[in-house]
Amino acid sequence: MKNISTPIIREISYNNDSIDDFENEIKNEKNSKYLLRYPTIYIVNDEVTPNKYSVYVGETNNIKRRTSEHLQDDSRLDTFWKKIDESNDAKMFLIGHDHFNKSLTLDIENKLMHYMTGVDTVELVHNGRSNQQDEYYTSDELDPIFYKIWGQLRKIDKNLFPVLSVIRDSAIFKASPFHRLTSEQLAAKDTIIMKIEEALNRDKVGQLILVKGEAGAGKTVLLSNLFYDLTQMAAENSDNSILKNKTQTLLVNHDQQLKVYKQIANKLGIRSKVNPETVEKPTKFINDHLGKSMVDVVLVDEAHLLWTQGKQSYQGENQLDDLLKCARVVVAVFDPNQILSREQYWGLDKLNRMTLDALSEGNLVELHNQMRIDGNKNTVEWIRRITDEQKVTNIPMDNKYDLKVFNSPEELYGQLSKKSLNEESGISRLLATFDWKYIDKKKPDNGEKYWNVTVGDFSMPWNLQLPQTKEQKRHNKGLAWAEQEQTIGEVGSTFTIQGFDLNYAGVIIGPSVKYRDGKIIFDKSASQNTKAKQRRTYEGEKIDASDTLLKNELNVLLTRGVHGLYIYAVDEQLQNRLLEAQKGTL
């Protein structure tokens, strides 16, 4: 890597007089041209309440002119700039570098928005675009220059610019629309937008665009990016004649993931008190719109969690079918291997028909790359072989990915706890198959304080049970289960961890997963997951989908870890098989 020079950063009060004074002060300095005549990046920030900021990240070739445009023109039309103009405390970090060019500043602007969205003290990140660039002459300098910029900014203000590893651990960062998309994701997004525009232009209704991909294929990041871009294209000042003023809603049938999307929508100004329904759950959306009003575009993350039967306040028979009656276009992100409950079950014939229909209309988009598991191809295949083929083979060598089988849950948890305490290792949590009893909002009737996962002398409460102090409750409000500090002392289930990344995932494979006659089998009698093991009526017949649903449960758990997967199996034969696989003696 070539030598990267130090960025030039100045902090200035954000008003026209201060910019004039600043220009006069530095115009004779040696490096003034990098701030006054080169492309620059600027971060406008206003401390709206103690340690809570509103932020704008931008780039420009003329900071003086751009400041005037924001304060004189934008402040008349935009609430954010009106507040900045009226504030006495608004400041700006002006950032220059001798290697800055238009493409590089756009990329760093996008990366700064990505990280600042994940900063806990930032309440609002204001900017009307995402600016990922393709390859260009100095694209290899993006990361080293960005890290130097962040390091200098952190020296000035640690509240506004915290440690990067802390930001990277946040669920909002991992699902941010400002992720740099892969070529596969970019192509998928372009195809989806083209199909949406085509459907709206022809005034079609109930068009389904199906996005398929396995766990970790980057579906959520793609959907988040698409959602943000669609809101910008729909804005009053948009130059997209088809999408301008069109309505869009993002739906997810998962409480923890819903929290993350609401955080993103709040921070980016997409969701507000005036427009609260931009992100919500499918049942409420269907009840509010079915037979009443039509939305232009509906995006559904984790569409495999939609119900295919009536339940609670949902009186219909299939939520996806009803969504198609409520929207001109539905973009559904779907992975049949992550269907977990009987009320989400689809028959193979209907799944195939839905896929073939989307394919025949050119509305099937597939993601194939593994984005989550940072291991080599053999490691990914080993995990897939367990979940897809129910086979245990020798664990491959992998210097990038920490895959271990432990002799006891105590040993596993001990190693996982060390990882969780290491800031560089990030968020690590213990998970288990749903083989121990847990009833939400009810105490155990055996005198125990919590519903526990118990293996021999090892015992730990299931998720969402440990008490929290007032301060913890305040801090945890809106945070997903894995992000909450106290949850290192709990065991997560598929219902709290699905859709999320962990840097290191510890998985206790309970007694419902066994090894018999050379193959993994699923024993529903040993499961406490009533949503998976109870029969249901499907198209007039009682069906038992427990084998499929318990297999999917294992799939979700084993694919959470980015850098490592730690395993202990309760079934003796499965545990012995895994230990042999670790020794490479199979």
Side-chain angles (χ1 to χ4, degrees):
M1 173 61 68
K2 65 186 86 168
N3 240 351
I4 301 295
S5 53
T6 301
I8 304 155
I9 299 179
R10 297 286 189 276
E11 186 178 19
I12 311 159
S13 292
Y14 198 67
N15 56 67
N16 284 312
D17 290 342
S18 294
I19 297 296
D20 288 338
D21 292 343
F22 172 73
E23 183 181 36
N24 291 327
E25 285 172 15
I26 72 160
K27 64 183 177 182
N28 295 322
E29 290 185 14
K30 177 184 174 183
N31 291 328
S32 63
K33 65 180 180 180
Y34 300 129
L35 294 174
L36 300 178
R37 298 196 298 278
Y38 267 48
T40 55
I41 296 163
Y42 60 100
I43 304 171
V44 178
N45 60 94
D46 188 25
E47 192 172 6
V48 289
T49 57
N51 288 329
K52 292 292 181 183
Y53 301 87
S54 288
V55 168
Y56 181 94
V57 183
E59 58 80 37
T60 182
N61 291 322
N62 187 323
I63 190 59
K64 185 175 180 181
R65 185 188 67 232
R66 195 71 182 111
T67 300
S68 179
E69 289 170 351
H70 284 320
L71 294 178
Q72 292 178 25
D73 300 333
D74 295 344
S75 62
R76 291 199 295 268
L77 304 170
D78 189 303
T79 304
F80 175 87
W81 288 112
K82 186 174 188 295
K83 289 179 179 177
I84 291 291
D85 187 36
E86 294 172 349
S87 173
N88 295 319
D89 301 315
K91 292 183 173 60
M92 174 178 69
F93 293 102
L94 182 61
I95 305 164
H97 196 278
D98 59 355
H99 287 198
F100 272 178
N101 55 56
K102 184 70 172 179
S103 293
L104 184 55
T105 54
L106 285 170
D107 256 356
I108 291 179
E109 174 194 31
N110 194 72
K111 201 171 181 80
L112 280 166
M113 286 191 287
H114 184 188
Y115 275 84
M116 300 219 74
T117 305
V119 175
D120 189 46
T121 56
V122 173
E123 290 188 326
L124 177 68
V125 178
H126 191 71
N127 191 306
R129 62 192 179 190
S130 57
N131 278 321
Q132 177 180 331
Q133 301 297 294
D134 207 340
E135 293 298 311
Y136 48 90
Y137 175 59
T138 55
S139 58
D140 62 328
E141 297 182 4
L142 168 62
D143 285 344
I145 291 178
F146 171 80
Y147 294 135
K148 280 180 177 281
I149 289 171
W150 194 274
Q152 282 189 245
L153 291 169
R154 179 162 165 72
K155 289 178 183 177
I156 300 169
D157 190 335
K158 287 183 170 59
N159 286 322
L160 194 52
F161 303 98
V163 176
L164 288 173
S165 60
V166 173
I167 300 173
R168 290 190 198 106
D169 277 342
S170 67
I172 189 173
F173 176 86
K174 292 173 181 176
S176 168
F178 302 117
H179 269 283
R180 187 176 184 84
L181 300 186
T182 64
S183 56
E184 182 182 58
Q185 289 171 315
L186 281 170
K189 186 175 81 166
D190 289 344
T191 298
I192 294 167
I193 290 174
M194 180 185 70
K195 287 293 181 179
I196 290 172
E197 289 176 333
E198 179 185 301
L200 295 179
N201 206 28
R202 296 181 182 179
D203 204 25
K204 292 182 178 179
V205 175
Q207 291 294 295
L208 174 64
I209 299 172
L210 195 62
V211 183
K212 296 185 76 174
E214 294 181 343
K219 302 185 297 295
T220 291
V221 166
L222 169 63
L223 195 74
S224 178
N225 188 285
L226 178 66
F227 179 52
Y228 181 72
D229 278 7
L230 287 174
T231 61
Q232 306 312 308
M233 294 175 191
E236 183 65 41
N237 60 351
S238 170
D239 57 5
N240 187 308
S241 59
I242 299 174
L243 290 167
K244 184 177 180 177
N245 294 323
K246 294 296 189 288
T247 54
Q248 57 277 315
T249 300
L250 191 153
L251 305 176
V252 62
N253 214 11
H254 188 288
D255 290 336
Q256 301 298 312
Q257 196 71 13
L258 186 70
K259 289 181 182 181
V260 176
Y261 280 127
K262 284 184 176 181
Q263 273 188 294
I264 290 173
N266 289 340
K267 281 203 175 187
L268 298 179
I270 297 169
R271 179 177 180 269
S272 63
K273 290 180 180 177
V274 179
N275 186 26
E277 296 179 355
T278 315
V279 178
E280 56 183 331
K281 296 187 81 169
T283 296
K284 182 180 184 305
F285 177 86
I286 291 167
N287 290 342
D288 288 347
H289 291 275
L290 188 60
K292 302 170 188 173
S293 59
M294 185 76 66
V295 171
D296 294 305
V297 183
V298 169
L299 307 178
V300 189
D301 197 11
E302 310 276 358
H304 38 268
L305 302 182
L306 292 173
W307 297 337
T308 57
Q309 66 178 46
K311 180 185 175 185
Q312 297 167 352
S313 58
Y314 174 63
Q315 301 301 311
E317 295 181 358
N318 185 298
Q319 288 188 321
L320 182 56
D321 288 347
D322 283 343
L323 290 175
L324 290 167
K325 298 171 187 173
C326 298
R328 290 180 171 82
V329 187
V330 174
V331 181
V333 172
F334 198 92
D335 177 5
N337 293 321
Q338 293 193 66
I339 294 172
L340 297 175
S341 300
R342 64 186 187 278
E343 65 264 19
Q344 300 157 0
Y345 176 80
W346 291 70
L348 191 59
D349 56 337
K350 189 159 185 176
L351 273 177
N352 289 338
R353 191 163 62 249
M354 180 173 66
T355 301
L356 288 171
D357 287 347
L359 181 62
S360 67
E361 295 178 17
N363 287 350
L364 178 64
V365 177
E366 295 188 89
L367 298 177
H368 301 284
N369 295 334
Q370 173 54 240
M371 302 287 291
R372 178 183 292 134
I373 298 171
D374 190 23
N376 63 36
K377 182 182 177 183
N378 291 335
T379 296
V380 175
E381 287 178 351
W382 185 87
I383 296 171
R384 290 256 60 90
R385 208 169 288 123
I386 283 183
T387 57
D388 296 347
E389 302 173 29
Q390 285 84 67
K391 292 180 180 178
V392 181
T393 54
N394 286 327
I395 295 176
M397 293 291 294
D398 191 339
N399 294 328
K400 292 173 61 182
Y401 196 79
D402 193 14
L403 176 52
K404 290 181 181 175
V405 181
F406 287 82
N407 292 310
S408 69
E410 288 90 348
E411 283 184 27
L412 188 159
Y413 182 64
Q415 183 67 18
L416 197 73
S417 297
K418 290 176 184 175
K419 291 293 184 185
S420 73
L421 294 172
N422 183 340
E423 203 169 68
E424 292 304 312
S425 295
I427 292 179
S428 304
R429 291 295 182 267
L430 185 61
L431 313 171
T433 52
F434 200 166
D435 294 347
W436 291 267
K437 195 171 182 179
Y438 175 73
I439 301 175
D440 190 29
K441 297 176 182 175
K442 183 180 177 183
K443 289 289 184 183
D445 52 15
N446 60 358
E448 293 285 342
K449 195 172 183 180
Y450 307 115
W451 301 103
N452 292 317
V453 172
T454 302
V455 182
D457 293 332
F458 176 86
S459 188
M460 188 172 286
W462 272 121
N463 39 221
L464 304 173
Q465 294 188 91
L466 288 181
Q468 302 172 45
T469 64
K470 285 184 179 179
E471 178 60 26
Q472 282 178 320
K473 285 181 180 178
R474 185 196 64 77
H475 177 72
N476 291 339
K477 187 178 180 181
L479 292 182
W481 171 79
E483 293 183 280
Q484 299 178 26
E485 189 177 350
Q486 82 281 356
T487 62
I488 186 58
E490 294 181 332
V491 183
S493 69
T494 50
F495 301 105
T496 47
I497 204 62
Q498 187 171 27
F500 290 93
D501 293 353
L502 294 170
N503 283 334
Y504 292 83
V507 179
I508 297 176
I509 302 175
S512 69
V513 186
K514 294 177 165 61
Y515 191 80
R516 299 290 185 271
D517 301 321
K519 193 173 182 181
I520 290 173
I521 63 167
F522 299 96
D523 177 7
K524 71 174 184 178
S525 68
S527 172
Q528 292 291 334
N529 188 353
T530 56
K531 291 176 178 289
K533 67 180 187 176
Q534 287 181 352
R535 290 154 64 90
R536 66 158 282 187
T537 301
Y538 183 79
E539 296 186 343
E541 292 185 21
K542 282 281 187 183
I543 56 141
D544 181 352
S546 59
D547 265 13
T548 297
L549 298 177
L550 293 176
K551 175 177 76 84
N552 289 353
E553 178 182 39
L554 183 64
N555 171 49
V556 168
L557 296 178
L558 295 184
T559 54
R560 294 307 100 191
V562 174
H563 300 301
L565 170 64
Y566 300 156
I567 300 173
Y568 173 81
V570 172
D571 178 68
E572 186 177 354
Q573 290 187 45
L574 178 56
Q575 174 69 1
N576 289 338
R577 180 72 178 183
L578 289 167
L579 289 171
E580 288 172 11
Q582 182 163 259
K583 294 174 186 174
T585 56
L586 296 181

